[in-house]
Amino acid sequence: MRELMRTNDPTLVAFATALLDGEGIETFQMDVHMSVLEGSIGVLPRRIMVRDADHFRATVVLRDNEIPTGQ
């Protein structure tokens, strides 16, 4: 698995995940439950992971929708 994006914005995570699901690209969200430990102040970013084979397609989908991937 490879990291596709990292953000503190939970709405951006949901939007990106929905776009990728619509394209048939499976995602795995990491660090989702860290907000419980941090007190929901948004300091720790959440990560979206995809399979290595899907990484290029997923990057294209996010860039086409103007979602930054950090790469």
Side-chain angles (χ1 to χ4, degrees):
M1 298 207 73
R2 286 180 64 185
E3 181 179 318
L4 179 63
M5 67 177 288
R6 178 184 301 229
T7 182
N8 293 346
D9 186 350
T11 59
L12 193 57
V13 170
F15 181 51
T17 301
L19 287 172
L20 295 169
D21 286 345
E23 294 291 329
I25 300 172
E26 292 184 42
T27 61
F28 182 78
Q29 295 182 27
M30 297 188 72
D31 307 321
V32 173
H33 300 291
M34 292 302 291
S35 64
V36 172
L37 298 176
E38 68 170 321
S40 298
I41 58 176
V43 174
L44 300 174
R46 296 179 184 185
R47 295 178 287 163
I48 295 180
M49 309 293 285
V50 295
R51 290 184 186 141
D52 288 337
D54 292 332
H55 189 267
F56 179 76
R57 270 190 333 128
T59 302
V60 170
V61 170
L62 294 187
R63 286 186 184 160
D64 286 350
N65 288 280
E66 299 178 3
I67 298 174
T69 60
Q71 299 175 10

